[in-house]
C-alpha cells in the first residue's frame, strides 16, 4: 500500500465534535448526531464527508489519551453555522494519502500498516496537524467494498 503525497489546501468545515479516547471510542455517537442534521449546512462544497481527528501535542497513541473527533463537511464560508455546530479550519499542509478498501473492521490493519510500517520506513515523520478520512462517493458505511481516503499529516525528517 503506497501513499500519494499531496498538499491539502486550507479548507473551512462546519460540523460537530466530541472529545474521547480509543478506550472510550464514541465516533458512532458523533456521526449519529451529525448525519440527521448535515443538510442544515447551507454552504456545503460538494457531498464529501470528513472524519477529522485532532490529536494533542506529542500524541502517544495510548488508548486512554483523549483527542477530538469531528464529523464535518467542507464549506465556502462561515456566514451561517447551524445551532449546535461549530466551525473548523484546516491549514494547508503536506499529507500522505492512503486508499482504504473495506469495512471499518479492516481500518485497524490499515492504520497499523501506516504507523507501524510505512511511516517509520519513509523519509517522513508525523506532523502535529489534523489527520482525517475523506468519505467520498465510493464510501459505503460498513460495506466490504467501501473506499475512503486516509490523510496523514507528514513532514520531511530532519
Amino acid at each position: 500500500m503506497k501513499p500519494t503525497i499531496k498538499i491539502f489546501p486550507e479548507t473551512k468545515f462546519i460540523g460537530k465534535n466530541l472529545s474521547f479516547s480509543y478506550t472510550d471510542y464514541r465516533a458512532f455517537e458523533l456521526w449519529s448526531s451529525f448525519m440527521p442534521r448535515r443538510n442544515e449546512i447551507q454552504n456545503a462544497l460538494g457531498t464529501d464527508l470528513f472524519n477529522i481527528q485532532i490529536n494533542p501535542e506529542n500524541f502517544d497513541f495510548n488508548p486512554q489519551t483523549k483527542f477530538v473527533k469531528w464529523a464535518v463537511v467542507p464549506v465556502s464560508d462561515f456566514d451561517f453555522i447551524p445551532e449546535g455546530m461549530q466551525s473548523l479550519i484546516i491549514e494547508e499542509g503536506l499529507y500522505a494519502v492512503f486508499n482504504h478498501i473495506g469495512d471499518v473492521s479492516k481500518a485497524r490493519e490499515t492504520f497499523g500498516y501506516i504507523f507501524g510500517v510505512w511511516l517509520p520506513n519513509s523519509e517522513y515523520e508525523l506532523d502535529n496537524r489534523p489527520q482525517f478520512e475523506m468519505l467520498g462517493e465510493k464510501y459505503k458505511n460498513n460495506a466490504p467494498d467501501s473506499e475512503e481516503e486516509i490523510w496523514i499529516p507528514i513532514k520531511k525528517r530532519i
Side-chain angles (χ1 to χ4, degrees):
M1 178 183 311
K2 187 170 163 55
T4 303
I5 306 301
K6 294 183 179 180
I7 293 177
F8 186 76
E10 179 179 280
T11 304
K12 296 177 176 79
F13 297 93
I14 292 177
K16 299 184 86 176
N17 70 75
L18 274 177
S19 177
F20 49 86
S21 67
Y22 287 120
T23 302
D24 177 36
Y25 199 71
R26 295 168 40 213
F28 180 79
E29 176 185 336
L30 172 65
W31 281 94
S32 294
S33 71
F34 174 71
M35 289 303 285
R37 299 192 55 213
R38 71 179 180 177
N39 291 330
E40 294 176 33
I41 300 170
Q42 299 172 358
N43 48 354
L45 296 172
T47 58
D48 292 342
L49 301 169
F50 285 71
N51 184 45
I52 298 174
Q53 182 167 320
I54 300 177
N55 297 321
E57 187 83 31
N58 300 315
F59 187 59
D60 57 6
F61 294 94
N62 179 311
Q64 275 85 36
T65 302
K66 289 192 178 242
F67 52 86
V68 178
K69 183 72 84 171
W70 288 77
V72 295
V73 296
V75 296
S76 57
D77 57 61
F78 295 137
D79 291 349
F80 174 76
I81 300 173
E83 188 168 333
M85 293 193 193
Q86 298 84 31
S87 62
L88 173 70
I89 297 176
I90 292 185
E91 302 294 333
E92 180 178 289
L94 191 65
Y95 282 82
V97 184
F98 297 83
N99 189 40
H100 171 73
I101 300 173
D103 65 21
V104 71
S105 68
K106 300 222 186 255
R108 177 175 290 235
E109 294 171 24
T110 301
F111 281 104
Y113 170 79
I114 292 169
F115 292 112
V117 178
W118 181 81
L119 192 59
N121 293 297
S122 75
E123 61 188 288
Y124 301 99
E125 60 186 348
L126 190 61
D127 199 0
N128 189 33
R129 292 181 285 110
Q131 71 183 49
F132 56 89
E133 293 83 53
M134 188 167 68
L135 314 175
E137 62 185 37
K138 294 181 181 180
Y139 178 75
K140 301 174 204 150
N141 192 26
N142 288 327
D145 62 341
S146 180
E147 291 187 41
E148 63 190 83
E149 290 182 353
I150 298 172
W151 291 65
I152 303 297
I154 55 172
K155 61 184 176 184
K156 288 269 194 179
R157 290 190 198 280
I158 300 174

